[in-house]
Each structure stands twice: as C-alpha cells, then as structure tokens.
Amino acid sequence: MYRYDDIDREMLADRVAEFRDQCGRRLAGEMTEDQFKPLRLMNGLYLQLHAYMLRIAIPYGSLNAAQLRKLAQVSRTYDRGYGHFTTRTNLQLHWIKLKDAPDILDELAGVGLHAIQTSGNCIRNLTADPHAGATADEVDDPRIWAEAIRQWSTFHPEFSFLPRKFKIAVTASPKDRGAIRVYDIGLRLHRDDEGALNFEVLVGGGLGRLPHLGPVIRERLPVRHLLSYLQAILRVYNRHGRRDNIHKARIKILVASLGATEFARQVEEEWSLTDKEAVDLPATELARIRAGFAPAGFETLPPLSATFESARAADPALARFARRNVLPHKHPGYALVNISLKSIGETPGDCSAEQMDVVADLAERYSMNEARVTYEQNLLLPHVKLDDVPAVHAALVDAGLATANIALISDIIACPGLDYCALANARAIPIAQDIARRFADPALAETVGELKIKISGCINACGHHHVGHIGILGVDKKGEEFYQLSLGGSAEDDAALGQVLGPALSADRVAPAIDQLVEVYLRERREGERFIDTFRRAGLAPFKEAVYAQAH
Amino acid sequence: MKALTANRLTDGEVVFWTGADWSERFIQAAVFEESDVAEGAEAHAKSQFTLVVDPYLIEVAPVGGGLAPVSYRERVRAMGPTNKPDHGKQAVGGDDIAVLAGAHGAARSKGRVDLIRRK
Ligand code: SF4
C-alpha cells in the first residue's frame, strides 16, 4: 500500500496546526460561525443533529492495520466507540466535540489519515474498485491512478472552489464495482488492441435531485495524459458550471444541457490548448507511486485448499459464508473475504471499535496488512489464503462480523438519515433494520438471491436509492416520514435509474411492501433471473399491483 | 407556542434556551406564546455566538403529560437517535424523555436546513 512520504507528512502536520489555531480562535470568539464554518468543513467537521460529525477520508477505501486500529482508538477515545462507513468509503464519527477535533486530526495524521477532501466544492476523496490488486479481471491496479489524482488534486488552487463538489471514481475491470456511472467523472482502465493502457472517460453522472448516468466522452485516453485531460474537463466545468443555482451546479447538469458530444468537444478544445507536459505525471513520479502498490509477495499455492474444503464440508455456516462472502483471487490459493457490516437488526455500515480492532488484526495476520472499505458499506480482506479462511471466519463469528449476506436482500445501503443528518427528511436506518429482520433467515435470503436495496433519507441520495434494485427515498409528507419506492435501478455494468413505483408509503408499510415485491418476484421469475432481471422483463405493473392492490 | 433551540459551540450538544441560559433538557426550555418575544430571544441568541451555533425557533404543543416539539426532527434532536437508545439525551431517561417519546403529531420542519444552505 502507498505510504505517505515526508512531504505528505509535513503537509498534514501543517494542516493540523493551522486548524488547531482556527479552532482556538473560534472558541475564543475571534471568529464568527460564518467565518469559521468553511474552515471546519475543509477539515471534514460538520455539525449534525446531535453533535459535530467528523468525516475521515479513506482514499480509495484502502486501510492498513495501523490505520484501522487508529480509527478504533479515536472512536473509543473521542466518540462513542463506533464509526459509520459510508457509500463514499469514508468513516463518519457522529459524536465529536469541536474542542477535540484538532487532537483527533493530529492522531490521525500519525498514521497518514486525515479529513481533507471530505467537504467543500473541491475534488473529493477518490474511490476505486475495492477488489483492486486482487481481482483477475483488472488490467492494472486502479489505486495507482487514484493516488496520482489524489496527490494532484489535494489543495489544487484552481479546483478548490468549483461550482460544486466533485467526485471521481476509478476502476480497471470490465465489471464495474465502483459505481463509476454515477460519479462526476468515472474512469475505467482498459487495454487497446496493441496492449496499451487507456482510460475510458465518463463525465456527468450523479444522483441527488436530478440523477444522471454519466456518458462516455472519450473511449481511449492514453494513461500518460490523465491529469491534463482531467484539468481540461475541470476547466470547462469551472468556466460554465451553474454557480447561480445550487441545484444545477453539479457537472451532470452542464453535461446534460450541452449534450455529451458538445461537452466532449469543448474539453478536447481546451485540452488541445493545454501544455500537457507541464501537467501530466512524469514517468518517474508514476513509477514512485506504482512502487507503493507493488504486490506483496504472494506465495505459489495450489488453487484448491484441502484445509478449506474439508472445513467447509463440515461446517454449514462456513459453507454459507464461503458461498456468499468469499470470492476468487487472481492468485491461486488466495481469496477475497467480504466482511458484512449488515448483521441483522444493526445499523448498516456501523462498526464498533472492537470490531475495527479485530479486522485490523485479521488484515495484519492474514491479508498482507490490508483491509478495504466498499461503497456498499462493507469491509473486505483482499488477500487471504484459502487455508486461512476457516480461521478468519471463526474470528469474524466471534466478533459478530460473519453475516453471510453479501449482495443479498439484507445487505442494505442506508444513509444516516434523520437519526443523525441535519439535511434529512426521514429516517433510513430503522427502515433498513425492519427489512433485514424480515429476511433474517439466511436460507430465505439466499432463495431470493441478489437484491440490492438502497435507502436515502433525502433527495441528496447518499444512500444511492436511484440505483437500487429497490430504491427507497425518505420524504416529508406534511411533517411525517413517508417513503417513495423505486424499482429497477443499478449502479453496476447494467447501470440504470429506478422507476418510481407509486405514491409514497408510510414507514410501517415499507417492509411489508418489500415482502410483496419479493413475492411477485418469486412468483414471476424464470430460471436464472435475479430480481432486477424479472423486473426488466415483466415491467412495473405486477409489482405495482401487489403493493397498491389494497388501496383500490 | 415556540421554544428556542441551538447546538452548543464546544461540543455540538442540542440545547434549549431557558430564558436565562442554555439547557440540555427540553423540559427546561422557555415557551413563548408571543411571536415577537420569541423573535427577540432568537435575536439575542444569535449574538451569543461563542456559546451556540445556528439558534432557531421550533413549534411546541401540549401532549399527554407535558409539552413536546411538534416536528419529528425536533423530537429526535431532543431525545437522540432512534437506532441507539443508549446514545443522546434519551440515555439518561427521565419523565421528560418519556413525554417526548410518547408524543405524536407532525409538522414540517426544516430544522437548520435553511441555515446550512444559506451560508
Ligand atoms: S441522503 Fe440526505 S439524509 Fe441521507 S445522509 Fe445524505 S443528506 Fe443526509
């Protein structure tokens, strides 16, 4: 994993010292809240319903054991002993005191963590395929490029006050595990016929009030020109983005209003005027970053492990865990082990300090000192020997982290909603808990198969409801919590925005409605169809009828 | 009827104006019958910027056994998150929390949304 060098460390230390001074001045009354608020936001410190919230950046979702232990310790010392992993692969601490914030950032800096790029109208923390470096279908490690963008974009003066926040995701596989079509810029690495590495560049995706899937504006960008091309995109956006209207300020609106072709033309024109040499990453620098992601000594192992095979034959719980949570690795004899943060009845994405410590220990001992955060609010150990999977599973069972439900109906994305978030219209967490409890029986959940439910507490769509197979949006109907369901969304290769099912439902009707939708699916499905496939074939009508029948 | 709420500067804790200072408990909130008195208190609170952040007025109404904020958002603020009963003010318990927990009724409330967005 990439390690911060002296320049990174010095930058972080300076930043913490600066923020300590700013906090001191605010507390002493030398600054008003209006003056201070943008400064605290630039350091990831938000004010929520009950307390301050610190959003800690986890660049491209990669953590080592020391970092994870530090997150555990910080949440224990300064918060309530847990943290909440988000769809942006960040960690949010929901009970932070302003007076502690500089000390927390100081502690985080000690392990190369920070809260930079987690707020404000800048290029935000980068995300990447959580399977990076471990999946057989990638053409390169996308984190190398995400790290290059991170270094280039951090405190970039030209792009610190964009019309609106700006999010970039990078993948390097044909299979999209990074939701790149709903990002401001989605980058997909691929090799051309000559074997050269290129980026496919998508611009103008995004959720929120006006959701869009990002169109491709360039199919083949030679990788060496990544930064100059990004600069050209951002310059066009900076020049023409709608600063006059916060609801129209994201790049998706600009791309949609110009059309992808015209937007691409303007980018190409800007790019043609760019001194590319001056902006693009020098080969030496790329090599330095690449070295930080060099594969760490995989052993030559047989593709099958007798230990693992006999253990799973003897233990049905391990067998289920292996079916749902364990994936093949690019190196024979290794596996990716998903750790679900969706145990039945718990808050999606929440992880206690004790659990973080357990995952840190497992990462250190069994996964080459690496853990990942996924945008689906789960964790992952990327490099586990098959021989070690039974031991990892046993440790996860002890820590309450072995729920075998990855991609199943109880693996629900839910934003913090009205339980924490100052912008929310309705709660998201209790809705997720209700649904998960209905499908607590693992055999039932497996029978239903892949079904992605995504819940947002308001139209900002942090819970990705537009791209859920079933999306649930909390709305305020005359002051009461209501929920609008949509069907047929996807954030993956078959990306699509969901269609609204019908009038919003009261909170107590949501989980029963999910039951009804699942019943229709089980009745209608054909061999091999997932929920979303059946929906695409059969359309909205049978589902709508089931949920709203009684109302007529 | 209205009450005045804010978040405390140092730690973000939800607080209510008692008429003399800020309290963590809703039950100690001063209740304003007259809107000009309420607005006067709000203006005064805005000047206390070393103590509180984003003060604003909320609607309150009688419920069984006492008063409660009319909007759901404000009841969540006055009690704590519903997914963790051991966090927030509800963890301490007490009769006033029981009153809030039993309250129903609804009203649109944007809370601090406009205060957040305006800046
Ligand atoms: S979707 Fe809305 S309620 Fe949920 S976290 Fe985002 S802003 Fe808050």
Side-chain angles (χ1 to χ4, degrees), chain A residues 48 55 84 92 165 414-428 455-465 473-474, chain B residues 117:
Chain A
Q48 297 266 54
R55 184 179 291 159
H84 175 77
Q92 294 188 173
K165 58 187 166 183
C415 77
L418 189 54
D419 283 306
Y420 300 89
C421 176
L423 301 174
N425 281 326
R427 289 174 299 160
I455 313 176
S456 306
C458 82
I459 194 66
N460 289 334
C462 305
H464 292 187
H465 64 275
L473 164 66
Chain B
R117 291 244 167 90

Side-chain angles (χ1 to χ4, degrees), chain A residues 26 29 31 33-34 37 47 49-52 80 82 95-99 347 350 418-420 422 424 427 429-430 476 478-480, chain B residues 7-14 49-50 53 72-73 76-77 80-84 87-88 106-109 112-113 115-117 119:
Chain A
R26 174 68 182 100
M31 259 195 267
E33 185 62 17
D34 284 357
K37 184 176 161 186
L47 182 58
L49 291 182
H50 312 289
Y52 290 92
R80 304 270 163 104
Y82 76 103
W95 297 94
I96 294 298
K97 298 176 168 64
L98 173 62
K99 55 183 164 59
T347 301
D350 274 14
L418 189 54
D419 283 306
Y420 300 89
R427 289 174 299 160
I429 295 165
D476 172 343
K478 300 199 182 94
E480 283 194 73
Chain B
N7 289 75
R8 192 158 59 205
L9 173 66
T10 51
D11 57 5
E13 180 75 38
V14 174
F49 73 95
T50 55
V53 178
Y72 195 77
R73 177 197 310 275
V76 170
R77 283 182 77 244
T82 64
N83 69 322
K84 295 210 194 270
H87 290 174
R108 274 184 192 277
S109 146
R112 293 169 49 244
V113 171
L115 297 168
I116 293 170
R117 291 244 167 90
K119 289 167 194 167

Side-chain angles (χ1 to χ4, degrees), chain A residues 291-308:
Chain A
F293 295 96
F298 289 101
E299 292 173 36
T300 307
L301 297 172
L304 282 182
S305 151
T307 315
F308 175 51

Side-chain angles (χ1 to χ4, degrees), chain B residues 15-74:
Chain B
V15 287
F16 301 92
W17 179 245
T18 65
D21 56 11
W22 295 94
S23 165
E24 294 182 16
R25 305 294 288 206
F26 172 75
I27 196 167
Q28 289 166 341
V31 175
F32 305 105
E33 306 274 354
E34 309 290 331
S35 60
D36 54 339
V37 182
E39 282 155 22
E42 187 186 15
H44 174 62
K46 282 184 179 151
S47 73
Q48 297 183 310
F49 73 95
T50 55
L51 294 179
V52 293
V53 178
D54 291 349
Y56 61 94
L57 294 165
I58 60 173
E59 288 288 338
V60 302
V63 293
L67 288 172
V70 185
S71 92
Y72 195 77
R73 177 197 310 275
E74 294 307 330

Side-chain angles (χ1 to χ4, degrees), chain A residues 314-327:
Chain A
D315 176 0
L318 175 60
R320 188 185 300 281
F321 182 80
R323 268 199 312 278
R324 296 306 337 160
N325 293 31
V326 178
L327 293 170

